[in-house]
Amino acid sequence: MRLDQETIERIKQAAQVADVIGDYVSLKKKGANLWACCPFHGEKSPSFSVSPAKGIYKCFGCGKAGDSVRFIMDIEGLGYGEALRHLAKKYSIAIQESPLTDEQLQAQNARESLYIALNYAKNYYQNNLFQHEEGQSIGYPYFKERGFSDKTIKAFELGYSLDIWDAFTRDALKNGYSIDVLEKAGLTIRKPEENKMFDRFRNRVIFPIHNVSGKTIAFGARILKADKNQPKYLNSPETEVYHKSNILYGIYQAKNAIRSKDVCYLVEGYTDVISLYQAGIENVVASSGTSLTLEQIRLIARFTQNITVLYDGDPAGIKASLRGMDMILEEGLNVKLVVFPQGEDPDSYVQKIGSDAFVQYITDHASDFITFKAELFLKEAGNDPFKRAELIKDMVGSISRIPDSIKRSVFFKKQQA
Ligand SMILES: [Zn+2]
């Protein structure tokens, strides 16, 4: 689809460079320009500058530079036309949408066609939840039982997949999507040797996974009936637009609150994120199913330097995630931990005590990582001198990862006390 020059000008006018980039990183004013750590390459001190007067950005580390349209092309991996369309949507600029011709469809790059198919699927599942009898009688009551309001369900674009082998695939094919794209988007599974194709998600409630700018890039899906042969949660496979180690569930809905509260709460599950969000605690994301990765930490670091990890009271789970904490320290971020009472997770606990008491609990119980780790292991070591020596070595190892020497020495002193 071609946009006329007048529309392009209007889009470019509306899409002020600082505002567009501010969706992806926290910009800080210094002199005439705004600065941030570059979203295109890993760095700990800002070399990415934005000039609102000139309408351009430039990274002095990796050399990426351009205007707001170029930025969207680079960070979302879109072509020129799709980047303009993305901005038109953000700034509510009406564009004439004519049906695509075959040549135009061909011209779309591979990533774009995946985004379009995933968006179609998201709408389809959402429609099932609100319009289809099965969605209304099976999917919708599940979310209601979890205490989610319609507003929350819509904010996270939750949906439902029917208990039919190929309902989605047939619908999408009928609407002009190619089987190739559906397969590459992780939506349809093909068994060519048996001449079969079927939907990846069936008879499950659907949690769309969004990237930072709100595009649907994958799905998590929870089973509703007890079936030992089926996993409780099923996720999209890795695709060209979905790398699970690079993304955090809820980051799109949370980013502005993370920026304004200057802290990011990290939880484990989709429903923890959604429950806290509904309770008005919006600065929360989940690593959902993977142990925390460097890319995920850097994604948070675009918006804040402070992470508070909220654990449910399971000691095995806590130990398994200590490595992730070391990585946060290594990136120069501040990390605190909160453990909830036995048998509670953030979801259940916020529903039990309400949001004010919940925030107060976090404030009262957040301990820094080093203190937390010392307490956890000292309890185990008891009076065993070998175990205690091992522990001290371990603590020193953690502290030495902190890149800032002043912060490091504070922790060393604390640890010797
Ligand atoms: Zn850079």
Side-chain angles (χ1 to χ4, degrees):
M1 186 190 61
R2 273 187 72 86
L3 294 167
D4 59 273
Q5 202 53 41
E6 195 196 321
T7 310
I8 293 174
E9 282 313 314
R10 279 177 56 215
I11 294 169
K12 286 187 168 175
Q13 205 106 70
Q16 294 296 309
V17 69
D19 189 52
V20 169
I21 295 175
D23 259 357
Y24 299 83
V25 288
S26 277
L27 295 164
K28 300 233 158 58
K29 199 163 167 55
K30 208 171 73 188
N33 290 347
L34 301 158
W35 295 81
C37 286
C38 178
F40 298 111
H41 81 277
E43 61 175 359
K44 294 183 180 103
S45 57
S47 54
F48 180 85
S49 79
V50 175
S51 165
K54 294 183 191 147
I56 54 166
Y57 65 95
K58 180 172 171 65
C59 175
F60 293 93
C62 67
K64 287 240 191 254
D67 63 2
S68 52
V69 181
R70 181 79 239 173
F71 181 84
I72 293 299
M73 290 168 72
D74 283 347
I75 200 144
E76 298 282 359
L78 299 174
Y80 182 67
E82 271 305 301
L84 284 168
R85 210 195 286 203
H86 174 101
L87 289 168
K89 193 169 164 219
K90 176 171 160 66
Y91 293 101
S92 311
I93 293 167
I95 46 178
Q96 213 54 35
E97 289 278 6
S98 48
L100 300 178
T101 65
D102 284 349
E103 292 92 74
Q104 285 164 338
L105 275 171
Q106 296 253 306
Q108 282 175 344
N109 75 34
R111 293 172 66 94
E112 285 165 7
S113 48
L114 295 196
Y115 283 133
I116 295 167
L118 288 160
N119 188 57
Y120 181 80
K122 178 207 70 187
N123 290 335
Y124 171 87
Y125 294 134
Q126 227 179 346
N127 252 336
N128 281 346
L129 186 71
F130 283 105
Q131 318 277 339
H132 197 284
E133 190 206 323
E134 193 186 316
Q136 279 286 294
S137 63
I138 299 173
Y140 188 73
Y142 168 79
F143 290 130
K144 285 287 143 183
E145 256 167 58
R146 306 232 47 148
F148 298 168
S149 69
D150 279 9
K151 197 174 151 224
T152 302
I153 291 173
K154 284 179 180 150
F156 285 88
E157 305 189 303
L158 306 177
Y160 176 76
S161 57
L162 302 175
D163 192 9
I164 300 174
W165 276 94
D166 57 356
F168 167 75
T169 302
R170 270 191 288 126
D171 177 274
L173 290 175
K174 207 173 72 196
N175 282 283
Y177 290 86
S178 83
I179 187 67
D180 245 17
V181 167
L182 297 177
E183 190 181 27
K184 281 187 186 136
L187 295 162
T188 299
I189 295 169
R190 255 203 297 190
K191 293 235 168 104
E193 65 279 11
E194 297 167 44
N195 197 21
K196 272 185 191 154
M197 54 191 176
F198 50 90
D199 299 351
R200 181 174 303 272
F201 306 115
R202 298 180 307 277
N203 192 210
R204 287 169 180 267
V205 283
I206 300 281
F207 298 84
I209 297 168
H210 302 96
N211 70 3
V212 182
S213 68
K215 283 195 197 314
T216 301
I217 53 172
F219 298 96
R222 188 192 192 282
I223 201 164
L224 293 180
K225 60 183 172 199
D227 183 345
K228 281 198 190 112
N229 300 318
Q230 296 283 336
K232 188 166 152 197
Y233 278 95
L234 191 64
N235 286 309
S236 294
E238 297 273 311
T239 67
E240 202 168 333
V241 299
Y242 176 57
H243 307 285
K244 71 178 174 199
S245 61
N246 291 0
I247 196 75
L248 288 157
Y249 181 74
I251 189 70
Y252 168 64
Q253 290 85 352
K255 66 183 175 188
N256 287 330
I258 293 172
R259 205 190 324 235
S260 62
K261 306 270 182 206
D262 198 18
V263 57
C264 176
Y265 296 144
L266 187 65
V267 296
E268 278 166 47
Y270 303 135
T271 57
D272 294 320
V273 171
I274 298 172
S275 272
L276 290 183
Y277 181 93
Q278 180 166 287
I281 303 162
E282 297 181 1
N283 49 326
V284 55
V285 298
S287 60
S288 62
T290 62
S291 47
L292 197 62
T293 66
L294 192 58
E295 290 79 8
Q296 290 171 333
I297 295 167
R298 287 180 176 162
L299 182 56
I300 295 173
R302 291 192 203 169
F303 303 102
T304 183
Q305 296 293 302
N306 303 301
I307 300 180
T308 299
V309 183
L310 310 186
Y311 282 121
D312 47 41
D314 165 22
I318 293 172
K319 277 203 181 154
S321 54
L322 290 177
R323 169 77 196 116
M325 308 301 108
D326 276 343
M327 281 164 51
I328 299 176
L329 289 178
E330 242 168 284
E331 281 299 293
L333 275 67
N334 307 305
V335 58
K336 288 188 172 171
L337 297 102
V338 174
V339 177
F340 290 95
Q342 199 67 44
E344 300 282 359
D345 55 35
D347 178 7
S348 66
Y349 205 52
V350 75
Q351 301 218 22
K352 189 163 159 184
I353 66 170
S355 56
D356 290 348
F358 187 87
V359 172
Q360 191 60 46
Y361 182 89
I362 291 177
T363 313
D364 295 344
H365 291 80
S367 54
D368 72 73
F369 172 54
I370 303 296
T371 311
F372 178 88
K373 200 165 165 182
E375 280 171 7
L376 183 71
F377 285 96
L378 274 175
K379 233 184 265 170
E380 259 182 35
N383 287 324
D384 183 334
F386 294 106
K387 279 193 181 157
R388 291 182 85 94
E390 195 58 34
L391 165 70
I392 288 167
K393 213 171 97 193
D394 192 287
M395 305 299 305
V396 171
S398 280
I399 297 170
S400 64
R401 292 170 195 275
I402 301 173
D404 182 289
S405 62
I406 299 173
K407 267 199 241 166
R408 202 164 53 224
S409 68
V410 169
F411 275 116
F412 269 123
K413 288 204 185 98
K414 211 169 181 175
Q415 188 245 338
Q416 282 154 2

